[in-house]
């Protein structure tokens, strides 16, 4: 058990994640240079299993977290208080998305990804081309997005894995349960128990992240090598630079001057959640750590239980703001299209209003598809661009998701400060942000885990 506690400490876990990136890349190079197909298949299988283990939890986690989160607001006051908190949270989501999209456009103009083409012989795999075409067909218009938001019935939303529909149902059912009060208490208690079970499951999966990264990165390097990494280097760098600017410039400014919270203290307490987001490439899977980080930063648990689940589904500055801006400009450059001022404005509008499109584990895909459709880029060129991006997506998605999760913690801190829901005693107390040996650190609601204490 002492090994597990040591392994899940922030610095040790970060070292394991970084080491897995190197090991994965080296194994991928080995598999490619020696043409060891068995090694490529093994790496791909490891990455697929890790991703599947995360995806298993996404649908039930989204539903239970939203229902529990809405009903947790009861402890903060009446319906008006809950509505005000919800409104302010969504407003700050929109403000940060607006800023992040502008940064994405500026960085894309600086790097100019895709200009001059990608070089002779550069092409996407048939598998990625097929996935990209299906995305364009499914999410190629806003009417399709609205149609996809409404489930045919309660059960198909879950059985078909439609995250947007499950989110829609969760909000309605959570609000209905809130309005019924004590009559709905048995249902809320049951949903809370299911939510805790899912969090325990994810606490176990946290520890597998370095192994999963080895598979994801190794398979990507082995399958594509430098054939697509080099041509897409400027696009990848642009995504990293844009996200880093949001992560280490925009958020610290908001923390320091709006929330009156030291950025250093923020990153010390939120570091584990951000690291796991980088490793897992899933905001939903990181939710237990995200919520605990907000609580450790002094946000009242009842509000944190509402804001962080909502953010994990709709607050995606990396996937829905920075990346779609860069991706749309990349595709436009590939197509030889010069975007006008109104198309740039369209990119910002989608980033602010289309956050719901990022719900789920492939939010980047729907966000980019909706953005390019909104500004009128050719569907075939969009499919080509998305197919190419798929080849380096695991590398891009790490930075995007880390940015997403950081923002999902920053906004509750900012709102909590403005509403008097930030406990400075908790904020200034030492806490251990790492998961405990039994995986429960992320599930503590009433108080942060004190340093050296057992969870």
């Amino acid at each position: 058990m002492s090994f597990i506690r040591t392994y899940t400490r922030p610095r040790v876990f970060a070292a394991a994640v970084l080491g897995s990136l190197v090991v994965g890349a080296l194994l991928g190079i080995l598999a490619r240079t020696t043409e060891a197909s068995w090694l490529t298949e093994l790496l791909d299988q490891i990455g697929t299993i890790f991703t599947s283990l995360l995806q298993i939890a996404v649908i039930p986690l989204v539903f239970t977290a939203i229902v529990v989160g809405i009903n947790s607001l009861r402890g903060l006051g009446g319906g008006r208080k809950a509505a005000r908190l919800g409104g302010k949270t969504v407003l700050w989501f929109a403000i940060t998305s607006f800023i992040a999209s502008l940064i994405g456009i500026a960085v894309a103009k600086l790097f100019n990804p895709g200009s001059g083409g990608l070089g002779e012989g550069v092409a996407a795999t048939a598998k990625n081309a097929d996935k990209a075409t299906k995305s364009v067909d499914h999410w190629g218009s806003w009417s399709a997005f609205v149609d996809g938001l409404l489930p045919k019935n309660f059960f198909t939303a879950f059985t078909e894995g439609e995250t947007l529909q499950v989110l829609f149902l969760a909000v309605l059912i959570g609000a209905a349960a809130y309005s019924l009060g004590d009559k709905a208490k048995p249902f809320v208690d049951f949903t809370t128990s299911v939510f805790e079970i899912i969090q325990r499951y994810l606490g176990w999966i946290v520890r597998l992240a370095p192994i999963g990264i080895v598979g994801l990165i190794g398979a990507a390097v082995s399958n594509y090598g430098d054939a697509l990494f080099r041509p897409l280097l400027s696009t990848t760098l642009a995504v990293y630079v844009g996200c880093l600017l949001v992560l280490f410039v925009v958020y610290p400014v908001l923390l320091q001057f709006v929330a009156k919270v030291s950025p250093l203290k923020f990153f010390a307490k939120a570091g584990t959640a951000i690291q796991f987001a980088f490793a897992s490439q899933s905001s939903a899977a990181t939710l237990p750590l995200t919520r605990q980080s907000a609580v450790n930063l002094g946000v009242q648990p009842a509000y944190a239980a509402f804001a962080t689940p909502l953010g994990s589904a709709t607050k995606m500055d990396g996937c829905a703001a920075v990346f779609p801006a860069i991706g749309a400009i990349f595709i436009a450059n590939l197509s030889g299209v010069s975007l006008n001022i109104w198309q740039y404005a369209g990119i910002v509008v989608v980033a602010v209003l289309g956050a719901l499109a990022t719900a789920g584990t492939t939010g980047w895909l729907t966000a980019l598809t909706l953005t390019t459709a909104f500004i009128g880029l050719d569907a075939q060129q969009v499919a080509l661009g998305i197919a190419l991006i798929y080849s380096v997506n695991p590398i891009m998605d790490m930075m995007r998701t880390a940015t997403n999760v950081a923002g999902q913690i920053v906004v509750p801190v900012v709102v909590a400060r403005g509403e008097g829901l930030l406990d400075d005693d908790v904020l200034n107390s030492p806490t251990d942000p790492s998961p405990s040996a039994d995986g429960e650190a992320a599930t503590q609601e009433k108080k942060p885990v004190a340093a050296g204490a057992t969870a």
Side-chain angles (χ1 to χ4, degrees):
M1 298 300 285
S2 60
F3 167 76
I4 294 176
R5 285 188 179 277
T6 301
Y7 169 69
T8 53
R9 296 293 181 186
R11 291 183 180 179
V12 178
F13 185 74
V17 169
L18 292 175
S20 65
L21 290 170
V22 176
V23 172
L26 291 176
L27 288 176
I29 293 172
L30 177 64
R32 186 174 181 85
T33 54
T34 61
E35 297 183 354
S37 59
W38 67 269
L39 181 54
T40 300
E41 292 173 2
L42 177 62
L43 291 168
D44 185 59
Q45 188 173 34
I46 291 172
T48 300
I49 290 173
F50 177 65
T51 303
S52 298
L53 288 172
L54 293 175
Q55 289 178 334
I56 287 170
V58 169
I59 294 297
L61 181 67
V62 168
F63 180 81
T64 57
I66 294 295
V67 171
V68 171
I70 290 174
N71 284 274
S72 70
L73 292 175
R74 189 181 308 280
L76 297 178
R80 290 185 179 180
K81 175 82 169 181
R84 186 171 75 251
L85 283 171
K88 283 193 174 183
T89 303
V90 172
L91 176 62
W92 274 107
F93 285 174
I95 290 171
T96 53
S97 293
F98 174 77
I99 297 170
S101 64
L102 292 179
I103 289 175
I105 291 173
V107 170
K109 294 298 290 180
L110 177 64
F111 282 84
N112 211 20
S115 60
L118 295 176
E120 187 176 351
V122 176
T125 64
K127 179 181 178 180
N128 287 344
D130 181 60
K131 288 192 291 186
T133 300
K134 288 181 179 178
S135 174
V136 173
D137 290 342
H138 186 65
W139 298 105
S141 68
W142 280 87
S143 61
F145 167 68
V146 174
D147 291 340
L149 185 63
L150 303 175
K152 296 177 182 177
N153 62 64
F154 182 87
F155 297 103
T156 57
F158 290 86
T159 58
E160 296 178 3
E162 295 291 344
T163 311
L164 281 175
Q165 296 177 7
V166 171
L167 175 64
F168 179 77
L169 288 171
V171 170
L172 292 181
I173 292 172
Y178 183 96
S179 67
L180 287 172
D182 290 340
K183 291 181 180 179
K185 189 176 185 301
F187 169 75
V188 174
D189 289 343
F190 172 76
T191 306
T192 301
S193 296
V194 175
F195 180 48
E196 296 294 338
I197 291 170
I198 297 168
Q199 289 189 113
R200 173 62 66 87
Y201 165 81
L202 287 172
W204 295 337
I205 303 304
V206 165
R207 298 164 187 155
L208 301 177
I211 299 174
I213 290 175
V214 169
L216 291 168
I217 297 301
V221 172
S222 177
N223 285 321
Y224 307 112
D226 61 359
L228 283 173
F229 282 144
R230 287 183 179 178
L232 292 173
L233 180 61
S234 63
T235 309
T236 306
L237 287 176
V239 171
Y240 268 72
V241 170
C243 287
L244 287 170
L245 286 173
V246 173
L247 188 58
F248 293 114
V249 177
V250 176
Y251 294 158
V253 168
L254 291 177
L255 289 165
Q256 184 69 53
F257 297 104
V258 181
K260 309 299 181 184
V261 171
S262 166
L264 293 178
K265 190 179 295 294
F266 171 84
F267 285 109
K269 294 198 173 193
T272 297
I274 296 172
Q275 290 166 18
F276 182 68
F278 184 87
S280 68
Q281 304 170 46
S282 172
S283 293
T286 312
L287 176 57
L289 292 173
T290 305
R291 185 175 70 160
Q292 183 61 31
S293 296
V295 172
N296 284 347
L297 283 160
V299 178
Q300 281 200 16
Y303 173 57
F306 164 76
T308 53
L310 182 64
S312 73
T314 63
K315 169 64 180 158
M316 306 280 187
D317 287 341
C319 287
V322 173
F323 173 72
I326 294 170
I329 293 173
F330 164 70
I331 293 172
N333 287 339
L334 281 183
S335 309
V337 174
S338 296
L339 300 180
N340 58 44
I341 187 64
W342 298 112
Q343 287 172 309
Y344 286 121
I347 292 174
V348 176
V349 169
V350 175
V352 174
L353 300 180
L356 275 176
T358 60
T361 55
T362 56
W364 68 271
L365 184 60
T366 49
L368 178 57
T369 304
L370 283 173
T371 300
T372 52
F374 189 78
I375 65 176
L377 294 182
D378 180 72
Q380 290 185 339
Q381 290 297 320
V382 171
L384 171 62
I386 290 175
L388 291 169
I389 289 171
Y390 258 118
S391 63
V392 294
N393 184 62
I395 297 174
M396 288 185 182
D397 205 25
M398 291 176 177
M399 191 66 242
R400 293 193 310 243
T401 310
T403 307
N404 294 343
V405 167
Q408 292 159 17
I409 303 171
V410 167
V411 168
V413 171
V414 170
V415 175
R417 174 63 77 190
E419 288 291 309
L421 299 176
L422 196 72
D423 189 331
D424 285 302
D425 290 337
V426 174
L427 171 65
N428 295 317
S429 66
T431 53
D432 179 1
S434 62
S436 67
D438 58 6
E440 288 186 338
T443 67
Q444 303 297 319
E445 289 190 19
K446 294 184 179 180
K447 61 182 179 180
V449 183
T454 56

